[in-house]
Amino acid sequence: MKVVSLNDVIGTDREVEAENGNWVSRRLLFKKDGMGYSVNDTIIRAGTETHIWYQNHLEAVYCIEGSGEVETIKDGKVWPIKAGDIYALDEHDEHLLRAHEGGDMRMVCVFNPPLTGREHHDENGVYPVDNEE
């Protein structure tokens, strides 16, 4: 059994902020937890746009606060997102994530394969895959 409190993660090395200030991610479950997926509680800052392309991971994102949109690059389709919506990047979709000006979005993000917790987006918005056991 594992119990992780968000309050115990905030302010530690498990809380990672984007270099450009667009988001902050609190890493709750990692690869080392052995669940086969990882879970992050992520704040997307109001009025920001972030280019992301998880070429090595599938991601499901559940919005629990705020609103914004996701634009898939391959077809230019824009998907409105609000609290209570989930979107799944089931085709390694290259996308733009935008939070509306009115306030931050808070998301719960699940990754497969799981993240180690040390990842940072590269210049293409990609997380590298970790092959360590």
Side-chain angles (χ1 to χ4, degrees):
M1 177 75 174
K2 297 179 188 313
V3 176
V4 179
S5 172
L6 179 61
N7 289 333
D8 293 337
V9 171
I10 294 173
T12 72
D13 63 351
R14 294 171 65 146
E15 183 177 44
V16 177
E17 186 158 351
E19 290 180 12
N20 62 9
N22 283 9
W23 52 264
V24 60
S25 180
R26 290 82 66 101
R27 280 60 191 292
L28 301 173
L29 291 176
F30 299 116
K31 180 178 183 176
K32 72 178 181 177
D33 292 309
M35 299 296 294
Y37 55 86
S38 57
V39 178
N40 299 340
D41 181 305
T42 301
I43 303 295
I44 309 300
R45 301 250 166 67
T48 63
E49 176 181 273
T50 304
H51 173 251
I52 307 171
W53 190 8
Y54 296 123
Q55 297 171 6
N56 303 310
H57 299 84
L58 298 176
E59 182 191 26
V61 181
Y62 181 59
C63 181
I64 58 176
E65 292 177 16
S67 64
E69 60 190 29
V70 177
E71 179 179 348
T72 47
I73 300 295
K74 71 178 176 183
D75 57 11
K77 183 161 181 158
V78 176
W79 307 83
I81 303 296
K82 64 185 180 321
D85 293 343
I86 189 169
Y87 64 91
L89 300 161
D90 59 344
E91 296 180 357
H92 303 279
D93 307 274
E94 183 177 9
H95 61 286
L96 298 170
L97 177 58
R98 301 180 187 105
H100 290 153
E101 289 286 345
D104 294 343
M105 282 195 305
R106 184 170 172 209
M107 321 290 262
V108 175
C109 309
V110 178
F111 287 89
N112 182 15
L115 302 179
T116 65
R118 298 183 307 269
E119 293 84 359
H120 292 278
H121 292 119
D122 69 14
E123 66 280 358
N124 296 312
V126 176
Y127 279 152
V129 69
D130 177 69
N131 292 321
E132 292 180 23
E133 289 304 316

